[in-house]
């Protein structure tokens, strides 16, 4: 039978790379006709560098207000605080300068504004399965400082603090209008955060390539992105000032999102990672460092040929993908087990139950029929 499929293209307009962020952001604001720009910035970047101030200065009269201090995993309460600031500032554009939690929060802010949400309880209306939310009216320009690549999707991961559950809010219009990739903006990012979110991008590539629903368009980008990341991350570890290596990592991160952005689902590494982040406050980069090699070992019986392509893209033709990933993660000094982040076997049943409710575990390439099989993966990651 002739292969068939569907590639869904996003509403992103452009990606600018290798140029100073302040200049590029100002040009994007002018292009979009913005007159009231809300800057959502990493507190560390705003406090310890002049990079955010440069962006504000470049915006000039277009700058309206600044929000900073978004906690990890984008909790609902903080998202609502940022929504109130955007509403009070009558913002017509939001510029995010920071990591994945900040980027996702801005997407959720867009939905809160367009759906008149003014309480954390009202955010229940944005959950999947309910009536489709109203389309966002506010656009976003993202300047990422980590590599988790959420700026290239229309999905926003937001944590419900009441239940300690990370949910995914989605609308095609929440994807940023533009992304600015400036490697100099990542120099102040803590090494562990830059490198671990790089493995998060590796996770996007690998689970996209190994998906049972993979397709050639996404494969081409994810395989090249994986090669850039597998080369670039160790070079940044060896020399944190190497801007060319950081640029390779940023480009690899961009390419890593081709599967998700075009409709290819992720698998158990992402699904279990959601639970580890929301319930145990494990940074999402670390969840990929811990879970991806274990998931690959467990999945090998279902997709050995695909995994061989992963190993080859990482520079290990004929090798095992799980071992290549393990070696890359070890060389970066990242945690490689649940025990290393303080999660013991007593927590496994709760993790397994919750993982079954995530959007990705049910679409793992080796079918997962219940919590018992998630427990098998957790044992491999223990």
């Amino acid at each position: 039978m002739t292969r068939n499929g569907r590639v869904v293209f996003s509403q992103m307009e452009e990606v600018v790379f290798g140029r100073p962020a302040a200049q590029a952001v100002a040009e994007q604001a002018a292009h979009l006709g913005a007159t009231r720009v809300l800057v959502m910035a990493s507190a560390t970047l705003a406090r310890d560098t002049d990079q955010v101030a440069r962006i504000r200065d470049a915006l000039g009269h277009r700058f309206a207000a600044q929000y900073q201090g978004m906690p990890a995993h984008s909790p609902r309460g903080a998202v609502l605080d940022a929504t109130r600031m955007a509403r009070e500032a009558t913002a017509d554009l939001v510029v995010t300068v920071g990591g994945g939690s900040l980027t996702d929060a801005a997407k959720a802010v867009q939905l809160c504004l367009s759906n008149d949400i003014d309480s954390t309880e009202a955010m229940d209306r944005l959950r999947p399965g309910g009536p489709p939310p109203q389309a966002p009216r506010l656009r976003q320009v993202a300047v990422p400082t980590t590599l988790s690549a959420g700026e290239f999707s229309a999905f926003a991961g937001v944590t419900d603090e009441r239940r300690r559950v990370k949910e995914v809010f989605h609308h095609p219009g929440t994807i940023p209008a533009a992304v600015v990739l400036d490697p100099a903006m990542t120099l102040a990012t803590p090494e562990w955060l830059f490198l671990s979110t790089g493995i998060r991008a590796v996770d996007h590539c690998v689970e996209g390539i190994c998906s049972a629903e993979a397709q050639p368009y996404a494969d081409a980008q994810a395989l090249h992105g994986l090669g850039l990341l597998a080369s670039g991350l160790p070079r940044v570890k060896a020399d944190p000032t190497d801007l060319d290596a950081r640029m390779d990592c940023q480009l690899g991160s961009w390419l890593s999102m081709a599967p998700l952005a075009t409709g290819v689902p992720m698998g158990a590494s992402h699904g279990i990672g959601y639970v580890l982040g929301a319930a145990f406050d494990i940074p999402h980069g670390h969840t990929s460092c811990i879970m991806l090699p274990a998931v690959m070992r467990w999945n090998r019986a279902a997709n050995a040929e695909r995994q061989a392509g992963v190993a080859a893209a990482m520079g290990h033709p004929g090798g095992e993908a799980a071992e290549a990933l393990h070696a890359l993660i070890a060389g970066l000094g990242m945690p490689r087990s649940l025990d290393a982040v303080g999660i013991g076997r007593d927590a496994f049943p709760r993790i397994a139950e919750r993982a079954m409710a995530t959007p990705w575990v049910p679409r793992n390439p080796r079918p997962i029929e219940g919590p018992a099989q998630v427990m098998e993966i957790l044992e491999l990651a223990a």
Side-chain angles (χ1 to χ4, degrees):
M1 180 182 293
T2 301
R3 285 180 294 177
N4 63 80
R6 179 169 176 256
V7 174
V8 182
F9 291 100
S10 76
Q11 297 180 23
M12 181 174 289
E13 296 179 13
E14 60 184 292
V15 177
V16 180
F17 58 93
R19 294 179 56 208
Q23 177 187 357
V25 166
E27 290 172 359
Q28 289 299 319
H31 169 70
L32 293 166
T35 60
R36 302 283 298 169
V37 180
L38 171 66
V39 175
M40 293 179 61
S42 154
T44 301
L45 201 66
R47 182 182 63 245
D48 297 343
T49 78
D50 65 351
Q51 296 281 19
V52 178
R54 288 185 186 182
I55 289 173
R56 285 201 313 266
D57 291 345
L59 287 168
H61 68 276
R62 300 179 195 275
F63 172 74
Q66 181 170 317
Y67 175 94
Q68 62 192 54
M70 180 60 57
H73 304 295
S74 314
R76 284 188 179 196
V79 168
L80 194 62
D81 288 342
T83 300
R84 290 174 180 140
M85 180 176 284
R87 192 176 283 128
E88 291 168 3
T90 61
D92 58 7
L93 178 68
V94 59
V95 171
T96 53
V97 188
S101 295
L102 197 69
T103 304
D104 277 8
K107 297 177 197 173
V109 165
Q110 295 175 56
L111 289 174
C112 288
L113 288 170
S114 62
N115 290 273
D116 298 321
I117 288 172
D118 58 4
S119 71
T120 54
E121 292 75 21
M123 291 175 75
D124 288 349
R125 303 204 309 264
L126 300 177
R127 286 178 179 167
Q134 294 295 312
R137 297 181 294 271
L138 186 71
R139 294 307 306 269
Q140 178 180 352
V141 173
V143 183
T145 59
T146 65
L147 299 171
S148 48
E151 59 275 3
F152 293 106
S153 86
F155 297 93
V158 177
T159 297
D160 182 349
E161 304 98 306
R162 302 167 301 177
R163 300 180 297 130
R164 293 184 68 82
V165 171
K166 192 166 187 177
E167 300 173 315
V168 177
F169 298 155
H170 173 259
H171 187 283
T174 62
I175 195 167
V179 175
V180 176
L181 300 177
D182 176 359
M185 294 294 293
T186 72
L187 288 170
T189 304
E191 180 187 79
W192 74 268
L193 183 58
F194 185 85
L195 297 178
S196 67
T197 55
I199 297 300
R200 186 66 168 177
V202 167
D203 201 350
H204 301 328
C205 292
V206 170
E207 290 215 301
I209 295 162
C210 291
S211 172
E213 302 170 56
Q215 36 88 348
Y217 179 86
D219 284 352
Q221 295 182 66
L223 284 165
H224 186 54
L226 180 58
L228 288 170
L229 288 159
S231 166
L233 289 168
R235 285 156 51 212
V236 173
K237 176 70 174 177
D239 179 6
T241 66
D242 187 340
L243 290 181
D244 286 337
R246 287 177 178 269
M247 184 82 265
D248 279 353
C249 291
Q250 287 190 305
L251 294 172
S253 170
W254 172 18
L255 295 173
S256 81
M257 285 302 289
L260 264 172
T262 56
V264 178
M266 299 291 99
S269 178
H270 278 70
I272 297 170
Y274 277 14
V275 179
L276 297 178
F280 298 91
D281 293 322
I282 307 301
H284 59 198
H286 283 170
T287 68
S288 291
C289 293
I290 294 162
M291 293 311 310
L292 183 58
V295 168
M296 292 291 280
R297 290 190 185 99
W298 195 84
N299 281 344
R300 190 174 184 279
N303 57 12
E305 184 176 349
R306 285 257 146 189
Q307 293 203 22
V310 166
M314 295 181 67
H316 299 278
E320 294 286 339
E323 295 308 314
L325 289 164
H326 183 84
L328 173 63
I329 294 163
L332 299 177
M334 295 293 107
R336 287 169 288 149
S337 69
L338 291 165
D339 181 67
V341 293
I343 297 178
R345 286 182 169 83
D346 60 314
F348 288 7
R350 178 161 57 116
I351 296 169
E353 287 285 348
R354 292 193 178 192
M356 292 303 301
T358 66
W360 303 134
V361 167
R363 297 176 80 174
N364 190 66
R366 179 180 169 187
I368 296 176
E369 297 174 358
Q373 291 169 305
V374 179
M375 292 278 284
E376 293 175 8
I377 298 172
L378 294 173
E379 283 293 337
L380 292 173

